[in-house]
Amino acid sequence: RLDEAEEPLQSVLADEPRNVRAHHNLATIAYTRGDLARAEELERQAIAIDRNYFEAWNTLGAIYIASGQSDAAISALNTALGINPSSDQARRNLALAMRAKR
């Protein structure tokens, strides 16, 4: 039901172009579809709006893992953990990124 979710989020961005959650949620949809370039672009837009938006950094790390960019993933996930040091999800993603680097 990604199509059903995407349309209202696009409407939100039309009215509120700086809505960080809409950017992030659209990035999640793109990631789920396997469109990693679009997902990265949308998360970068979310981060440009709010540099401390944990979810965007964590998902950006996952995008980089999926695209084989271990160093970029480690950097993004370290940033995520700097924002939310207690995130088990970010720690797991960081472990995956470090394992992929080997």
Side-chain angles (χ1 to χ4, degrees):
R1 302 182 65 153
L2 297 175
D3 292 336
E4 291 176 29
E6 186 174 21
E7 188 176 320
L9 290 168
Q10 292 290 2
S11 292
V12 169
L13 284 184
D15 292 338
E16 302 172 45
R18 295 185 50 80
N19 186 308
V20 68
R21 288 185 177 173
H23 284 283
H24 170 67
N25 288 332
L26 286 167
T28 301
I29 291 169
Y31 178 81
T32 301
R33 288 181 172 151
D35 188 349
L36 300 180
R38 178 74 175 140
E40 178 184 0
E41 175 187 344
L42 287 159
E43 290 298 20
R44 289 248 165 242
Q45 290 171 3
I47 290 166
I49 295 165
D50 181 356
R51 295 228 12 110
N52 291 313
Y53 193 62
F54 164 79
E55 290 84 355
W57 284 108
N58 187 50
T59 303
L60 189 60
I63 291 164
Y64 288 143
I65 292 168
S67 62
Q69 299 177 62
S70 299
D71 289 334
I74 291 167
S75 178
L77 293 163
N78 279 325
T79 300
L81 285 166
I83 297 165
N84 183 359
S86 64
S87 172
D88 289 335
Q89 183 183 32
R91 288 180 191 280
R92 282 190 299 274
N93 284 343
L94 181 58
L96 290 171
M98 293 174 85
R99 186 177 310 141
K101 186 176 168 92
R102 292 186 204 171

